[in-house]
Amino acid sequence: MQASDSATHSVPVAELYDSAEGQLGPILFGGHLHWGFWDADNADDDFAGGSEKLAQLMINKTTIGQDEHFCDLGCGVGLPAIKLAQVKHCYVDGVTISGYQQHNATERAAAAGLQERVNFIHASALSIPKPDLSYDGGWFFESIFHMGHKAALKEAARVLKPGATLLLTDLPLLPTATDDFKQFVKQHIHSEFVTQTDYPTLFAEAGFALVECWDITENVMKPLVGKFKQALEQHKDAVAACADDKAVDNWVYLFEYMSENLGYVLITARKL
Ligand SMILES: C[S@@+](CC[C@H](N)C(=O)[O-])C[C@H]1O[C@@H](n2cnc3c(N)ncnc32)[C@H](O)[C@@H]1O
């Protein structure tokens, strides 16, 4: 599918993920493009292991049934969508603003023999090229802060059926987050974060009941930088092929800065 008009308007985020560094993410994170969850059961896992565990937690939280339709809004290179379809036997549409990711995810679905069940669309999740009430469930898996929470929830509410479960992982600003940090992430990773206290109003105004907000900051943000440095070392040849030392230092600095200023939550909501 061609990029919609609104996809071409969000060029900076697309460029971030289309870049060589953006393409390195899934190599470091075991095919995922989200961070990881570590607890006593998997404390020694590497980044890929932690990312896989977080994906399993998300899949376990969905209520999607066999042959129902699910939307993955900001789908990366598609591994969470593919795993969801394998476990739940549902249909999944993944939406990404990145042309590279749509292409890569489509190849992954075909390799898994799931091209009839899992479809990747190059478009903006703020203008999903699907009719109202198309989906029985959906998630924003570490993606909504690139889109703007209010507009993204409004568009999700349009395409979800009443009663559908919407999951999110999100990175709320800590009470100590600084204005310098907010400016930095807006400029460098095209992200705007909200606080946990913003959620009740945001969800209610978009037409969702907020069911659960599970704070997993300790499991995600505390181990983050150490696991990331380990992943850079594990994949040093791939890293060297597309990033110089300065770029790697900047990346570590970004992760340190984010872990000082942001928490991490897994949210369950229900479309009213
Ligand atoms: C941190 S990655 C998470 C990827 C994936 N959900 C995962 O867990 O592996 C953020 C994703 O949001 C996507 N994204 C950002 N803005 C978007 C938009 N307006 N519409 C669709 N996708 C968007 C990016 O292309 C990327 O795939």
Side-chain angles (χ1 to χ4, degrees):
M1 188 170 298
Q2 290 299 305
S4 67
D5 282 352
S6 49
T8 50
H9 290 155
S10 300
V11 165
V13 182
E15 281 179 359
L16 185 73
Y17 286 103
D18 285 341
S19 70
E21 226 175 283
Q23 295 182 29
L24 190 55
I27 296 171
L28 298 178
F29 306 162
H32 294 289
L33 199 43
H34 54 255
W35 291 348
F37 179 104
W38 294 271
D39 63 11
D41 293 338
N42 75 333
D44 294 332
D45 276 7
D46 61 8
F47 209 117
S51 300
E52 176 62 22
K53 178 146 182 171
L54 187 53
Q56 291 302 328
L57 289 172
M58 286 286 271
I59 290 168
N60 292 345
K61 289 247 176 211
T62 66
T63 54
I64 200 78
Q66 181 164 348
D67 294 336
E68 289 190 331
H69 292 263
F70 187 92
C71 54
D72 179 348
L73 304 172
C75 62
V77 294
L79 192 55
I82 289 167
K83 286 183 176 274
L84 178 70
Q86 285 169 332
V87 173
K88 300 283 185 172
H89 308 289
C90 57
Y91 292 92
V92 186
D93 284 339
V95 179
T96 175
I97 201 78
S98 155
Y100 162 76
Q101 291 180 349
Q102 189 262 347
H103 185 73
N104 187 282
T106 300
E107 284 183 349
R108 286 172 189 260
L114 283 170
Q115 60 274 25
E116 306 298 327
R117 291 232 153 219
V118 186
N119 175 43
F120 294 102
I121 302 168
H122 181 203
S124 174
L126 297 176
S127 183
I128 301 163
K130 290 285 170 179
D132 296 356
L133 310 182
S134 291
Y135 296 105
D136 306 286
W139 67 34
F140 293 96
F141 199 161
E142 219 173 276
S143 58
I144 197 167
F145 46 81
H146 287 310
M147 303 170 189
H149 289 68
K150 195 171 177 176
L153 287 172
K154 186 175 170 210
E155 180 65 350
R158 183 185 71 77
V159 295
L160 287 170
K161 297 176 187 170
T165 297
L166 176 70
L167 299 176
L168 297 87
T169 62
D170 198 23
L171 287 65
L173 291 162
L174 295 175
T176 50
T178 63
D179 287 341
D180 282 351
F181 171 77
K182 291 178 210 168
Q183 279 304 319
F184 183 88
V185 286
K186 194 169 176 179
Q187 186 184 345
H188 291 278
I189 56 167
H190 314 293
S191 299
E192 285 190 65
F193 300 97
V194 300
T195 65
Q196 281 207 45
T197 53
D198 292 324
Y199 290 136
T201 305
L202 278 168
F203 281 92
E205 285 184 354
F208 290 96
L210 189 51
V211 177
E212 184 191 22
C213 182
W214 181 24
D215 192 326
I216 52 173
T217 303
E218 291 290 313
N219 305 91
V220 178
M221 299 310 245
K222 284 279 157 64
L224 178 74
V225 174
K227 297 289 182 184
F228 183 57
K229 287 180 176 169
Q230 182 192 37
L232 289 169
E233 183 59 26
Q234 262 177 336
H235 299 280
K236 60 181 176 214
D237 292 342
V239 173
C242 57
D244 60 18
D245 288 351
K246 175 87 178 133
V248 172
D249 286 350
N250 286 343
W251 212 353
V252 172
Y253 175 78
L254 172 68
F255 277 34
E256 283 170 347
Y257 206 12
M258 291 177 82
S259 64
E260 284 163 16
N261 284 276
L262 297 169
Y264 202 104
V265 291
L266 199 167
I267 296 173
T268 306
R270 194 180 66 256
K271 167 80 188 295
L272 296 170

